Amino acid sequence: MNDMTPFATTVKDWETDQEVRWCPGCGDYAILKAVQRTLPQIGANPATTVFISGIGCSSRFPYYMESYGFHTIHGRAPAIATGVKLANPELDIWLVTGDGDGLSIGGNHLMHVLRRNVNLQIMLFNNEIYGLTKGQYSPTSREGTRSPSTPLGSYDHPARPAAFALGAGARFVGRGFDVSKNLPEVLKAAHAHQGAAFIEIFQNCIVYNKDVFDDFAAPKGAEDRQLWLQDGEPMLFAGGTQGIALDREKLRLMIVAVEDGDWQAAGVIVHDVTNRSIAHMLVEMPFGPFPMALGVLYDDPRPTFETAVAEERQKASAGKEPNLAKLLAKGQTWTVEGNGPEPFDSRPPGQGEPNAADPL
């Protein structure tokens, strides 16, 4: 768990006096409330909590949290967050980005913060579109997406944020969606993880990509197409009438029917959050025939980047005297004595000394 002393707050303590400026009905409102409800429950302290964002609709988030925050530049939030964490490892850092900010110009930086395993929480809002710049297709837009930049439909194969995170070496990968009542539980699990915790949050852009996730995230009627994962629990969905099993011959997941609640007889897998291979299969499951895998897909901590850096610094400085003057004098040095060089005479040779009437 993050090394933070529990601090008593309420939701109101995390709300600012700033006008929340997202489009009416935007899924970002629901995510904001989910975070503001989660922070009091985990005992977060506003004085040691920092929200760092890049550029995009999601990146307005720091303005609406009553804590420290930094609205940075396009795609560079992971690099800046890494610097903040190294400067003060005691800070509790939440990184906010979007599918465009985090996976296009910021893909390089996001990859490195994950592989380094910096101890912070990364929330990637995925609406499969560029909302702030008026609806161009994004790295996660589906093939055939019509937009101002792809009027005939996108030909790009979309990036899968959770698969990207696993491929970059993330030790925690979770999924949720904006209006889900389960989203705070995913956020809590991410905060409890020691290391870089990546959460993909499906978010409805009602202006440029409205209801694109309704097939599994609609407020009503889509529950049967959601697979909420719980460590140590069978992978069941559709009210327990269906489950996910492993085809051991072809080494791939498959859907099986569960009769009379006997999931064991059906061969349903029990979720193990430390199983990286199954996590890869879950994020790659094609939605449609399969449900959408949600919750904590993978959670297997390892030593964090800033801990290793601190240990290296301590080892390098052990037994050494902190003497700046001695450090500056180390190596090649010399002493200049006397009054310095003679004044430079810029006159041509032979002109003699100037008199008082001569201009200088």
Side-chain angles (χ1 to χ4, degrees):
M1 192 169 183
N2 283 309
D3 295 329
M4 301 287 173
T5 302
F7 194 84
T9 61
T10 66
V11 173
K12 290 291 184 182
D13 293 319
W14 296 94
E15 297 176 349
T16 70
D17 60 358
Q18 300 295 301
E19 177 188 0
V20 182
R21 299 180 64 184
W22 288 312
C23 300
C26 174
D28 287 352
Y29 286 95
I31 300 172
L32 175 64
K33 285 303 179 184
V35 173
Q36 290 172 337
R37 289 196 304 268
T38 299
L39 294 175
Q41 296 176 26
I42 61 178
N45 183 348
T48 56
T49 301
V50 185
F51 283 84
I52 298 177
S53 65
I55 296 295
C57 296
S58 64
S59 294
R60 298 190 60 82
F61 211 90
Y63 296 103
Y64 309 138
M65 297 299 303
E66 189 61 39
S67 67
Y68 288 99
F70 196 165
H71 189 179
T72 73
I73 56 179
H74 205 188
R76 272 66 176 185
I80 293 171
T82 299
V84 173
K85 190 67 175 180
L86 289 177
N88 188 350
E90 298 303 313
L91 294 176
D92 189 13
I93 297 177
W94 295 77
L95 195 158
V96 185
T97 186
D99 50 300
D101 179 66
L103 292 174
S104 57
I105 190 170
N108 173 47
H109 298 282
L110 184 58
M111 175 184 71
H112 293 304
V113 77
L114 291 170
R115 72 170 180 84
R116 285 174 174 148
N117 199 36
V118 183
N119 191 18
L120 44 75
Q121 297 76 238
I122 303 165
M123 297 187 295
L124 186 144
F125 298 8
N126 182 11
N127 57 20
E128 297 187 1
I129 207 76
Y130 277 105
L132 187 67
T133 52
K134 307 300 185 284
Q136 299 87 348
Y137 88 114
S138 83
T140 60
S141 295
R142 303 175 192 187
E143 293 178 21
T145 297
R146 292 180 179 270
S147 76
S149 54
T150 54
L152 300 180
S154 169
Y155 294 103
D156 281 3
H157 180 68
R160 295 176 180 265
F164 172 89
L166 282 170
R171 309 299 299 186
F172 179 103
V173 177
R175 265 185 183 158
F177 59 91
D178 46 16
V179 296
S180 171
K181 63 181 180 181
N182 296 325
L183 180 57
E185 296 305 314
V186 181
L187 298 175
K188 290 178 191 176
H191 184 266
H193 175 85
Q194 279 289 315
F198 179 87
I199 315 109
E200 177 186 10
I201 305 175
F202 297 106
Q203 177 255 323
N204 186 27
C205 176
I206 65 164
V207 176
Y208 298 111
N209 212 15
K210 185 178 180 181
D211 301 334
V212 70
F213 303 118
D214 265 7
D215 45 6
F216 70 88
K220 294 181 180 180
E223 295 85 356
D224 289 351
R225 296 180 289 280
Q226 300 171 15
L227 171 63
W228 281 99
L229 299 162
Q230 293 284 342
D231 189 34
E233 296 294 328
M235 296 186 188
L236 297 170
F237 65 101
T241 62
Q242 292 182 294
I244 301 297
L246 178 63
D247 183 337
R248 299 184 184 277
E249 181 179 344
K250 297 182 179 180
L251 290 180
R252 63 186 183 187
L253 300 179
M254 60 182 181
I255 298 174
V256 293
V258 178
E259 297 181 2
D260 300 324
D262 193 351
W263 58 267
Q264 291 173 310
V268 174
I269 301 173
V270 173
H271 186 43
D272 176 4
V273 292
T274 66
N275 191 322
R276 192 177 189 87
S277 297
I278 295 296
H280 273 284
M281 293 183 186
L282 287 169
V283 301
E284 294 288 355
M285 284 194 314
F287 180 74
F290 285 88
M292 179 59 68
L294 301 163
V296 178
L297 285 74
Y298 181 63
D299 185 358
D300 190 13
R302 69 175 180 184
T304 64
F305 181 67
E306 68 277 6
T307 300
V309 171
E311 291 175 352
E312 182 185 53
R313 289 173 179 169
Q314 186 176 11
K315 182 178 179 180
S317 61
K320 296 180 180 178
E321 177 188 2
N323 189 323
L324 181 60
K326 185 178 179 180
L327 177 64
L328 292 175
K330 183 179 180 181
Q332 293 182 342
T333 61
W334 61 91
T335 302
V336 178
E337 298 179 348
N339 296 324
E342 294 294 326
F344 177 69
D345 189 349
S346 62
R347 294 171 298 155
Q351 284 193 358
E353 295 296 326
N355 56 42
D358 289 335
L360 295 178

